[in-house]
Amino acid sequence: MYKLLICNSTLSDKLFDPGCLHTSFGIRKEKKDHYTNVPRNANLEKLPKGYLFPEISLRQHQHLEQHPDASLISLGIGDTTEPVPDIVTSRMADFASGLSTLEGYRGYGAEQGNKELRKAIAETFYKDVNVKDSEVFVSDGAQCDIARLQLLLGSRVTASVQDPSFPAGDLDHETGRYHRLEYMKCGPENKFFPDLRRTSSTDVIFFCSPNNPTGHAATRQQLEQLVKFAKDNGSIIVFDSAYATYISDDSPRSIFEIPGAKEVAVEISSFSKFAGFTGVRLGWTVVPSELCFSNGFPVIHDFNRVVCTCFNGASNIAQAGGLACLSSEGVRTRVNYYKENAEILLDALASLNIKAYGGQNAPYVWVHFPGMNSWEVFDMILEKANIITVPGCGFGPGGEEFLRISAFGHRESILEAARRLKALFS
Amino acid sequence: MPLHQFHFNASISSSSSPFLAPPSAFNSFSSRHQNFSLPPRDLGICRCVATPQEAKTPTAYKTNVSRNANMGKLQAGYLFPEVARRRNAHKEKYPDAQVISLGIGDTTEPIPDVITSSMSKKCQALSTLEGYSGYGAEQGEKSLRAAIRSTFYADLGIDDDDIFVSDGAKCDISRLQVVFGSNVTMAVQDPSYPAYVDSSVIMGQTGQFQTDVEKYANIEYMNCTPENGFFPDLSKSPRTDIIFFCSPNNPTGAAATREQLTRLVQFAKDNGSIIVYDSAYALYMSDDNPRSIFEIPGAREVAIETSSFSKYAGFTGVRLGWTVVPKELLFSDGFPVARDFNRVVCTCFNGASTVAQAGGLACLSPEGLKAMHEVIGFYKGNTEIIMDTFNSLGFKVYGGRNAPYVWVHFPGRSSWDVFAEILEKTHVVTTPGSGFGPGGEGFVRVSAFGHRGNVLEACKRFRQLYK
């Protein structure tokens, strides 16, 4: 029998449990093991052993073993920390209690999501760009939607991703998922927007704005270029706008603000980072009815079919919460809180003459350490300041020399982190 | 842009196709609430039609991205939205009729207080500093995994960390398919829950649909009929990599015996296959059959088990289930299947809602278990009423004893025709057997979820129709 230690890949500083952080699977083959005759999926076989957040967990664990009294501040994984406003949770609680009553009981919901909620999403986020309720698909989160999109598109498609970006870290490890994976370098030198003249055409272009990890919100002009590029090449943009509510300036909040985008793009978003729903699980994807495959078949049909076959809808309690979020102003306060956190971190870094990007349109600060290896910087900051960050290389080769510091955290933690950084680098 | 007026594949005739898709294919989404009628709405989504041959407006912009050929193999919409579409069309046609839904297996009875109050409390806690929680482990909360193990798998050699909490069995089936990939062969019972076949098609494991036999090429359909006691003749079954097996069965209601499951496990062992065992209805069993595949010695080396809170706790909308992948289950190169499943869970999923998980934990408390058994008992009472009705009308009736489904035989008749007749003449929605595979032709599935009054009324109408 193989003995396994299954790794918990999610790091939560509140639920930190050293017992579950082993990333290595201890495998010991014993006699009389039965092997099935089922071949392992070749695509999954290509995945390398370690990946980003488990590796961070491991280093965190090792650090704590050596310094058991260290007061760690986690600005690593982008997990929200502030409580959800009452007005939202009380509606969720009422809905949950209502499930115990005849009038309030609800069974299966539509796989595409609750009607009211789809309408509210269309009206809140897409009012001026004419997205219809029927084009909004409620989900249990962006990560899940991306997987459903991949299922839909199949394994023959080619894809490009920003480098660095959140998918790049995982997609790099899942090259088998895509026939070919292109990296579009985004850095200070090109205003965090790829040089499309040097970019080869792929079927799918993943684009996240405001960007995780760089914090850059693409300008209208940049997005117009992107849409034109997609149109010229017949590509589909998968636009991740999960951080749109963090935008401070007049950068587009949705790809559909760009004329012509409906024919080339789907947009994915999430309640996670503006409603604190990282555990509650709620998001959405917009698939315009105009978006067609090369044979003219509407993508929305196939997406709908995948949603109906491979999914059974987001939790109705989460959806009740989503509806409450969109009908109340209360949720903005959390976004502002995290943005203030980001400002504190930016100020601290500026005072140290350390070049930092992002932080103004996203809850991430992207810090440049020229000439340094990002894992080394990570280690140094962990060792000397007891702060967990994320090494930029985890988001793709374009992230080397950078560190992502996330602005989620209680104000005191952020202030303390700023103090420690100042002490460390001055 | 209008999405109607697709060209239909003329070779699919309405009487033989398992997935009839009439031309008026606009469908308001399936809101499957049982207790009020939906106003008809054109929401611009066409959901259950055959593949269109061309776009309506040839000059409309098209991307260069090829449609996934696998999606093109699907014949029409998923079964239950199609049933819902027919139900909604019927309601439109007869706005005053009291339509009773015994079609989609949707729970109807309120969730016991002990369970909802824990979810309510969890929601409120999210507004507090101490109670707020963000991302949970993708595999599920430790306490819930432990409770699932001790409730369902005590003494079966299953560890807490063999258990992966999910947002439901349907979603887990697709994640399992992602684990297996496109280069595996699959067997299903025939008839069976449509998600097994459909997810296999989407994953690229199958060939084209063959209209003459109404099967997808490259899937092994293991016929389960009254003649073979709804257990396939394994001696005639070729080897496949994966075997989907559901017991108690949806739609036939058949529960495999210990002896049958022992043979199944042996078959899998001899062939080096993996059984995906769907036990979502285990608690509905009246007979003394195994509740878990892992009751069979050797099963941990050949099987995965998936289950759900949907039909036990009325969590069809709340969304919570689990899958057990034992450490002993290995691919042909010795690599543990659980590792790949974990990887897929970590990259394609972000965990079941923490609120749903709080509810799950309450379900598995002593009080919660007792309350769940009462609700299950209620639905079993419905099942008896339905069985008695059809029995008394002289029908051959199967299932019911061990599952909330009654499988009624209408020999020589098309199941979609019977479905339509029952709907038209009694305003009761059922599910046509052929929707579950060609082996379901000639049968209709009547589900036992419903308010008692509705079930009694439906049975009264059946008696009038078939007296």
Side-chain angles (χ1 to χ4, degrees):
Chain A
M1 179 160 72
Y2 277 65
K3 306 232 190 282
L4 297 176
L5 296 167
I6 295 187
C7 153
N8 176 348
S9 72
T10 303
L11 175 67
S12 161
D13 45 60
K14 288 212 167 77
L15 303 174
F16 178 74
D17 175 2
C20 64
L21 290 179
H22 299 279
T23 50
S24 59
F25 289 82
I27 300 181
R28 204 173 73 234
K29 186 177 183 321
E30 296 183 7
K31 283 194 286 202
K32 295 189 249 176
D33 282 356
H34 170 77
Y35 287 19
T36 64
N37 278 352
V38 181
R40 190 174 169 216
N41 180 350
N43 292 340
L44 293 177
E45 225 177 314
K46 290 175 190 161
L47 299 177
K49 291 192 177 51
Y51 56 114
L52 184 59
F53 288 109
E55 183 59 30
I56 292 177
S57 297
L58 185 64
R59 297 192 190 208
Q60 172 172 331
H61 178 57
Q62 286 165 346
H63 178 79
L64 282 174
E65 269 187 344
Q66 282 155 25
H67 311 274
D69 297 324
S71 146
L72 267 190
I73 298 177
S74 181
L75 301 180
I77 194 170
D79 196 5
T80 45
T81 54
E82 300 314 292
V84 177
D86 258 323
I87 188 167
V88 174
T89 56
S90 56
R91 291 262 210 102
M92 289 169 69
D94 286 344
F95 183 89
S97 308
L99 294 171
S100 280
T101 67
L102 266 175
E103 327 74 56
Y105 180 73
R106 295 286 180 270
Y108 283 118
E111 296 95 336
Q112 303 83 353
N114 169 277
K115 255 188 181 186
E116 266 40 85
L117 179 58
R118 295 168 85 186
K119 187 155 178 278
I121 290 169
E123 279 172 10
T124 305
F125 297 101
Y126 305 103
K127 187 164 41 191
D128 300 322
V129 296
N130 283 324
V131 163
K132 304 189 271 299
D133 316 352
S134 56
E135 294 168 325
V136 177
F137 294 78
V138 179
S139 74
D140 60 327
Q143 186 158 298
C144 319
D145 267 345
I146 287 173
R148 281 186 278 270
L149 270 170
Q150 289 169 349
L151 209 51
L152 159 67
L153 294 169
S155 57
R156 284 181 149 60
V157 292
T158 57
S160 48
V161 291
Q162 290 163 290
D163 174 23
S165 70
F166 187 55
D170 271 342
L171 285 175
D172 181 30
H173 300 140
E174 295 173 38
T175 44
R177 286 255 180 134
Y178 295 93
H179 187 59
R180 175 167 56 93
L181 195 62
E182 294 283 323
Y183 288 81
M184 306 185 293
K185 182 98 189 288
C186 293
E189 68 284 352
N190 60 11
K191 297 190 174 39
F192 294 99
F193 190 76
D195 183 352
L196 295 175
R197 296 163 306 177
R198 294 209 169 76
T199 305
S200 12
S201 145
T202 54
D203 294 310
V204 179
I205 305 167
F206 284 93
F207 201 90
C208 177
S209 176
N211 188 263
N212 173 11
T214 69
H216 176 74
T219 63
R220 187 165 309 271
Q221 199 198 31
Q222 287 172 333
L223 291 182
E224 281 166 359
Q225 281 179 50
L226 184 68
V227 167
K228 178 168 193 309
F229 179 74
K231 191 119 191 223
D232 292 343
N233 289 296
S235 311
I236 294 178
I237 301 167
V238 176
F239 191 81
D240 182 346
S241 65
Y243 300 99
T245 49
Y246 284 80
I247 294 178
S248 303
D249 55 27
D250 61 4
S251 306
R253 271 100 171 116
S254 162
I255 188 68
F256 302 120
E257 291 186 33
I258 311 301
K262 294 238 187 95
E263 297 174 317
V264 299
V266 303
E267 181 161 309
I268 300 185
S269 194
S270 170
F271 283 81
S272 284
K273 305 296 161 60
F274 73 81
F277 271 22
T278 40
V280 172
R281 307 309 317 145
L282 193 70
W284 72 88
T285 290
V286 178
V287 186
S289 41
E290 293 91 325
L291 186 67
C292 295
F293 289 112
S294 55
N295 67 352
F297 193 83
V299 176
I300 194 173
H301 276 230
D302 277 351
F303 190 71
N304 188 64
R305 187 50 151 99
V306 168
V307 157
C308 287
T309 309
C310 306
F311 187 50
N312 234 328
S315 176
N316 50 18
I317 301 174
Q319 294 194 61
L323 205 46
C325 277
L326 298 183
S327 14
S328 97
E329 282 304 304
V331 276
R332 290 290 317 167
T333 58
R334 296 302 182 261
V335 170
N336 291 339
Y337 184 90
Y338 296 128
K339 287 175 71 157
E340 283 159 12
N341 283 353
E343 254 191 78
I344 291 167
L345 292 166
L346 280 174
D347 286 346
L349 292 163
S351 75
L352 295 164
N353 286 321
I354 295 179
K355 199 88 182 87
Y357 302 90
Q360 276 155 349
N361 290 316
Y364 299 118
V365 176
W366 188 236
V367 191
H368 197 191
F369 291 92
M372 292 191 67
N373 172 291
S374 55
W375 271 115
E376 278 171 14
V377 185
F378 168 93
D379 282 337
M380 190 242 310
I381 292 182
L382 175 56
E383 182 64 34
K384 304 223 161 90
N386 290 301
I387 299 174
I388 299 274
T389 56
V390 184
C393 65
F395 299 100
E400 196 54 277
E401 294 190 354
F402 286 86
L403 204 68
R404 187 191 83 176
I405 302 183
S406 92
F408 298 111
H410 298 321
R411 186 58 51 82
E412 322 82 68
S413 304
I414 301 291
L415 289 167
E416 174 61 18
R419 268 192 291 274
R420 292 184 194 177
L421 288 171
K422 283 191 187 153
L424 176 60
F425 287 110
S426 52
Chain B
M1 166 176 136
L3 297 175
H4 56 285
Q5 293 176 31
F6 290 109
H7 301 275
F8 287 90
N9 183 341
S11 70
I12 297 178
S13 78
S14 68
S15 57
S16 64
S17 167
F19 296 108
L20 175 60
S24 63
F26 266 114
N27 175 35
S28 63
F29 65 97
S30 89
S31 167
R32 289 173 273 190
H33 297 178
Q34 300 242 14
N35 299 323
F36 60 88
S37 49
L38 277 178
R41 279 274 306 272
D42 167 1
L43 292 181
I45 289 186
C46 176
R47 290 192 335 135
C48 10
V49 292
T51 311
Q53 307 305 311
E54 61 193 63
K56 180 183 194 298
T57 46
T59 52
Y61 172 80
K62 300 175 249 198
T63 66
N64 274 352
V65 181
S66 304
R67 187 184 180 212
N68 181 349
N70 296 328
M71 297 300 298
K73 291 173 186 156
L74 291 168
Q75 288 306 289
Y78 188 61
L79 172 62
F80 298 111
E82 175 61 24
V83 169
R85 198 196 60 74
R86 305 284 203 103
R87 180 197 65 209
N88 296 340
H90 184 78
K91 280 179 174 166
E92 219 179 307
K93 191 170 160 198
Y94 300 102
D96 298 324
Q98 191 210 344
V99 175
I100 299 175
S101 286
L102 301 180
I104 295 161
D106 194 7
T107 45
T108 55
E109 301 312 289
I111 298 174
D113 263 322
V114 61
I115 296 165
T116 55
S117 59
S118 79
M119 295 197 289
S120 203
K121 283 200 190 75
K122 174 68 181 176
C123 293
Q124 287 161 346
L126 291 173
S127 280
T128 67
L129 267 176
E130 329 73 57
Y132 180 76
S133 62
Y135 284 118
E138 294 95 336
Q139 304 85 353
E141 270 157 42
K142 273 186 164 182
S143 51
L144 180 56
R145 296 165 85 184
I148 291 170
R149 190 202 62 79
S150 64
T151 305
F152 298 99
Y153 304 102
D155 305 320
L156 296 181
I158 299 293
D159 297 324
D160 296 357
D161 60 7
D162 293 334
I163 296 173
F164 296 79
V165 178
S166 75
D167 62 327
K170 193 189 202 187
C171 319
D172 269 342
I173 284 161
S174 286
R175 282 188 277 268
L176 280 168
Q177 296 287 33
V178 170
V179 170
F180 298 137
S182 55
N183 282 331
V184 294
T185 54
M186 213 191 66
V188 289
Q189 289 166 290
D190 179 23
S192 71
Y193 179 55
Y196 312 141
V197 167
D198 287 10
S199 62
S200 180
V201 175
I202 290 174
M203 204 56 220
Q205 294 161 358
T206 79
Q208 294 293 336
F209 187 75
Q210 301 161 317
T211 46
D212 52 342
V213 290
E214 301 199 332
K215 296 180 179 182
Y216 289 93
N218 214 41
I219 296 184
E220 183 57 34
Y221 290 75
M222 303 186 298
N223 210 217
C224 290
T225 62
E227 291 72 41
N228 63 15
F230 297 103
F231 191 79
D233 183 351
L234 296 175
S235 68
K236 295 200 170 62
S237 301
R239 181 198 176 272
T240 55
D241 293 308
I242 315 293
I243 306 167
F244 278 92
F245 199 91
C246 177
S247 176
N249 189 261
N250 174 12
T252 69
T257 62
R258 187 167 311 269
E259 187 270 328
Q260 287 171 331
L261 291 180
T262 304
R263 278 193 279 138
L264 182 68
V265 166
Q266 189 59 48
F267 178 74
K269 190 112 188 232
D270 295 341
N271 286 305
S273 307
I274 295 177
I275 299 167
V276 175
Y277 189 81
D278 184 344
S279 66
Y281 301 99
L283 294 184
Y284 281 81
M285 274 205 263
S286 299
D287 295 332
D288 186 28
N289 299 309
R291 265 89 172 130
S292 162
I293 189 68
F294 302 118
E295 291 184 38
I296 310 300
R300 293 201 307 273
E301 297 175 315
V302 301
I304 290 168
E305 181 161 310
T306 190
S307 192
S308 171
F309 284 87
S310 284
K311 307 295 161 60
Y312 299 160
F315 269 24
T316 40
V318 173
R319 308 309 317 146
L320 193 71
W322 71 86
T323 290
V324 184
V325 188
K327 300 177 179 61
E328 293 90 328
L329 187 66
L330 310 173
F331 286 113
S332 55
D333 63 353
F335 194 84
V337 176
R339 276 182 67 175
D340 276 348
F341 189 67
N342 189 61
R343 192 51 183 272
V344 166
V345 157
C346 290
T347 51
C348 302
F349 187 51
N350 236 325
S353 177
T354 46
V355 176
Q357 292 194 61
L361 207 48
C363 284
L364 302 182
S365 67
E367 212 190 325
L369 282 168
K370 180 165 177 290
M372 285 203 302
H373 277 286
E374 276 165 20
V375 178
I376 290 169
F378 171 83
Y379 291 128
K380 285 174 72 79
N382 284 352
T383 321
E384 266 189 63
I385 292 166
I386 296 168
M387 279 199 297
D388 286 348
T389 301
F390 281 99
N391 271 320
S392 71
L393 290 167
F395 285 96
K396 269 283 199 307
V397 169
Y398 303 93
R401 250 188 88 64
N402 294 306
Y405 298 119
V406 180
W407 190 236
V408 187
H409 199 194
F410 288 83
R413 297 197 59 190
S414 140
S415 56
W416 274 106
D417 286 349
V418 177
F419 165 90
E421 171 183 87
I422 293 177
L423 182 56
E424 185 65 30
K425 301 203 167 130
T426 69
H427 305 300
V428 177
V429 187
T430 56
T431 312
S434 59
F436 299 96
E441 188 56 284
F443 289 86
V444 160
R445 187 192 81 172
V446 185
S447 90
F449 298 108
H451 298 321
R452 185 56 55 85
N454 285 339
V455 172
L456 288 167
E457 173 64 21
C459 287
K460 184 163 136 220
R461 297 179 193 175
F462 294 147
R463 278 194 289 273
Q464 272 166 354
L465 176 60
Y466 290 115
K467 59 174 185 276

